[in-house]
Amino acid sequence: EVQLVEFGGGLVQPGGPLRLSCAASGFKFGNADMTWVRQAPGKGPEWVSDINSDGDGTHYADSVKGRFTISRDNAKNTLYLQMNNLKPEDTAVYYCQLRYTGYWGQGTQVTVSS
């Protein structure tokens, strides 16, 4: 059974950092391309970033480019999203997703507010 569990969300002031984690199980994580998506209040899902199985190929939405870094530790079956210089518009529920599939986790809430 594919399981994706996000961790690390919370309340942070604008300009602050936050690191999200996604613990994966039930599939060969080391062979899987992974994605972070987010959904802001009242909006549809937005693709944020993706990473290939080796971790050496990454892509970012323009809205987060230069501020967010996606990474992974295949030995730990864990996906990460380091978020820096957070903005109020980054407020959303963040989900990790097994790329190309409908599998994603329960999400973790990120709220950027002063």
Side-chain angles (χ1 to χ4, degrees):
E1 177 183 345
V2 173
Q3 291 267 299
L4 299 166
V5 181
E6 296 91 342
F7 301 88
L11 176 64
V12 62
Q13 294 185 38
L18 206 60
R19 183 157 107 143
L20 307 183
S21 301
C22 173
S25 61
F27 64 100
K28 292 186 178 297
F29 181 78
N31 292 341
D33 294 350
M34 299 294 296
T35 298
W36 285 101
V37 300
R38 66 186 182 185
Q39 189 164 6
K43 298 181 66 178
E46 177 191 15
W47 171 78
V48 174
S49 184
D50 58 62
I51 187 167
N52 69 354
S53 58
D54 291 338
D56 60 356
T58 60
H59 302 89
Y60 300 91
D62 287 343
S63 58
V64 308
K65 197 172 299 181
R67 300 187 297 120
F68 290 12
T69 303
I70 189 171
S71 62
R72 65 195 297 157
D73 187 337
N74 286 348
K76 296 181 178 179
N77 282 7
T78 302
L79 178 72
Y80 303 100
L81 185 67
Q82 177 66 50
M83 305 183 294
N84 296 324
N85 192 24
L86 282 162
K87 303 176 179 180
E89 52 263 43
D90 295 318
T91 296
V93 179
Y94 284 72
Y95 303 90
C96 65
Q97 181 183 46
L98 177 56
R99 197 177 183 189
Y100 311 120
T101 77
Y103 293 113
W104 54 358
Q106 85 292 336
T108 186
Q109 175 71 50
V110 174
T111 302
V112 184
S113 177
S114 58

